[in-house]
Amino acid sequence: MPGTVLLLGGSGFLGQALAQTVFADRMVRIADRVAPADPQGANVSYQPMDFAATQDFLPYLGDVDWVVHLISTVTPSEGTDNLAAEIADNLLPTIRLLDGIARKQNAPKVLFVSSGGTVYGEGGGFLLSERAAAVPICKYAAHKLAIEKYLHLYHVYHGLDYRVIRLANPYNARAQFTKNQGAIPIFIELMRQGKPITVWGDGEHRRDYIHIDDAMHGIGAILGYQGPERVLNVGTGVSVSTNELLALIARELGVIAPDVRYTPARACDVGVNELDISLIKTCTGWEPRISLGEGVRRCVHELKMKN
């Protein structure tokens, strides 16, 4: 397990979860443009950093054993607008980061959180293994996959020790609604308030949703793994359609007829995304324990307690 951890982009949903769980017994430095919204433990410090503008990452690396790369300025969306600027803000700083790590004695390991939900594209339907074709259909996924490939390149030429986590759709009740994070808590809150829920397409797109607690345990297991695999899925191995998810939430809330409004499908949304998690099970023994039904119940309870 790591000693000192540098969390790049650690002020967000995933970063705060990692700092409070997986790295709770380690020294953690969060480097981000804004400080974490929630109070952090005594083991966590904050250092302002503009990832896109940083030319030299060596001053941030110090005595770091692990660098966890969570930063993305892009969200899944259609088209190629602003592509050059997004490459400048995401890929080029990542190259500068890897250059800094390659120059450092006692180089830290790198954990990159990729997107199991998008990098495969249409990829062959159900149970997408790490060896399935990855053919992104949105620029967010293309950036993630490109970073995965550059990590491998630096492994070949500089001996970079890294792990890539292709993470399913993580959720809990602490998502940041202003950032449109997490379909499950957003749907719950809109349904509770009797507000309309907008769904892209006919609601039959299928996704793999993983509770954040399970996701953190999976990431922790990967950090302790010493084997040869570099890219691992972290999901549940089960998919659910948006319509099935809405019906589950409605039953939990006792809502008979939620106001669901369907809009034309987006080209960037894959039809089916269901991750094969047999590799992580084999490598680490980890498997998820929280069913979608239980996860939704937890979210509903926590959101009711909050307001």
Side-chain angles (χ1 to χ4, degrees), residues 14 22 165 167 170 210-220 234 286:
L14 282 176
V22 176
I165 293 175
L167 184 62
I210 183 169
H211 191 276
I212 195 68
D213 290 354
D214 273 340
M216 292 301 103
H217 289 139
I219 292 172
V234 177
W286 171 86

Side-chain angles (χ1 to χ4, degrees), residues 212-247:
I212 195 68
D213 290 354
D214 273 340
M216 292 301 103
H217 289 139
I219 292 172
I222 290 171
L223 288 173
Y225 167 65
Q226 301 296 321
E229 299 295 341
R230 298 285 171 186
V231 179
L232 296 106
N233 288 336
V234 177
T236 68
V238 178
S239 67
V240 62
S241 73
T242 304
N243 288 331
E244 290 168 340
L245 175 61
L246 289 169

Side-chain angles (χ1 to χ4, degrees), residues 255-267:
V255 175
I256 296 175
D259 185 359
V260 181
R261 303 178 184 183
Y262 297 92
T263 60
R266 302 183 299 177

Side-chain angles (χ1 to χ4, degrees), residues 6-76:
L6 178 65
L7 279 181
L8 299 175
S11 294
F13 170 54
L14 282 176
Q16 291 186 61
L18 284 165
Q20 294 167 6
T21 57
V22 176
F23 302 124
D25 60 348
R26 301 289 187 266
M27 298 305 297
V28 176
R29 289 206 299 271
I30 290 176
D32 209 337
R33 287 193 297 179
V34 296
D38 295 334
Q40 302 295 300
N43 64 311
V44 180
S45 60
Y46 167 69
Q47 186 173 9
M49 186 197 70
D50 185 338
F51 183 69
T54 300
Q55 298 298 313
D56 184 2
F57 284 88
L58 272 176
Y60 292 96
L61 297 176
D63 58 349
V64 168
D65 297 309
W66 276 90
V67 174
V68 181
H69 186 349
L70 301 168
I71 291 177
S72 175
T73 65
V74 188
T75 56

Side-chain angles (χ1 to χ4, degrees), residues 158-232:
H158 301 285
L160 177 70
D161 192 352
Y162 74 95
R163 294 286 186 269
V164 170
I165 293 175
R166 288 182 174 170
L167 184 62
N169 296 273
Y171 70 93
N172 72 355
R174 300 178 65 187
Q176 295 173 281
F177 296 97
T178 57
K179 295 185 178 180
N180 228 18
Q181 289 183 341
I184 289 175
I186 290 173
F187 288 165
I188 291 171
E189 279 298 271
L190 291 174
M191 208 177 290
R192 285 182 63 209
Q193 297 169 24
K195 294 181 178 179
I197 296 171
T198 300
V199 172
W200 297 102
D202 60 5
E204 290 305 307
H205 289 78
R206 302 186 69 84
R207 298 288 178 267
D208 188 335
Y209 296 97
I210 183 169
H211 191 276
I212 195 68
D213 290 354
D214 273 340
M216 292 301 103
H217 289 139
I219 292 172
I222 290 171
L223 288 173
Y225 167 65
Q226 301 296 321
E229 299 295 341
R230 298 285 171 186
V231 179
L232 296 106

